[in-house]
Amino acid sequence: MMTLFSNSVLLRGFLGRNAEAPPLQGITKDAFAVLLLATVSGRWDLGNNEWIPRTDWHRIICPGPFFCGMVRGMRRGDYLEVEGELRALEQDRGVVVAGERFSVKHSTYAVHAVRIQPLDRPEALVDYGDSDDNTEVQP
């Protein structure tokens, strides 16, 4: 059976900074933690024969006491898989033009987590080009 609407995001990447979670005594039912997750993709430039990488940063909102406790010890560089919903937050911002102030709507997007899975760090394969064998290096 097909559902009429779907809003799901699956991200796998590395934390760009330590998890932002409230202190233990500050965790309420409305508390939330924030993660900043980096994903990397890119494209091959055929003209220059080189890989052009692209890093995207995703703000992950982790709602509720369960997630606040779960992500508390997560640190920059941790490898995670996050499943959630993409949500837009519209905010009013003041803009000054020619000395006159105007209110402008500004949208920001975040993923609201429904599942977070810590993953084992992948091994990086590095080819130094000096010999025929590849050397595995832990990142």
Side-chain angles (χ1 to χ4, degrees), residues 6-13 35 37 60-63 67 80-86 111-118:
S6 178
N7 179 1
S8 60
V9 175
L10 181 64
L11 299 170
R12 189 175 298 141
L35 303 175
L37 191 76
I60 312 294
I61 306 297
C62 308
F67 279 130
L80 303 176
E81 182 175 87
V82 176
E83 184 179 347
E85 296 180 346
L86 184 64
V111 173
H112 284 243
V114 296
R115 184 180 65 84
I116 298 174
Q117 169 94 33

Side-chain angles (χ1 to χ4, degrees), residues 10-94:
L10 181 64
L11 299 170
R12 189 175 298 141
F14 293 95
L15 285 182
R17 63 176 177 224
N18 295 347
E20 297 175 23
L24 285 176
Q25 62 274 20
I27 296 178
T28 64
K29 67 177 185 142
D30 297 330
F32 63 92
V34 178
L35 303 175
L36 186 64
L37 191 76
T39 58
V40 179
S41 61
R43 65 179 180 81
W44 192 261
D45 182 356
L46 293 175
N48 294 321
N49 196 28
E50 69 177 336
W51 178 253
I52 310 287
R54 171 183 155 166
T55 302
D56 290 310
W57 293 94
H58 309 276
R59 186 169 187 244
I60 312 294
I61 306 297
C62 308
F66 173 76
F67 279 130
C68 287
M70 178 186 182
V71 304
R72 172 170 300 289
M74 293 185 177
R75 300 284 175 245
R76 180 178 184 259
D78 286 352
Y79 187 49
L80 303 176
E81 182 175 87
V82 176
E83 184 179 347
E85 296 180 346
L86 184 64
R87 297 201 187 157
L89 173 64
E90 203 169 79
Q91 300 171 326
D92 286 327
R93 289 202 174 167

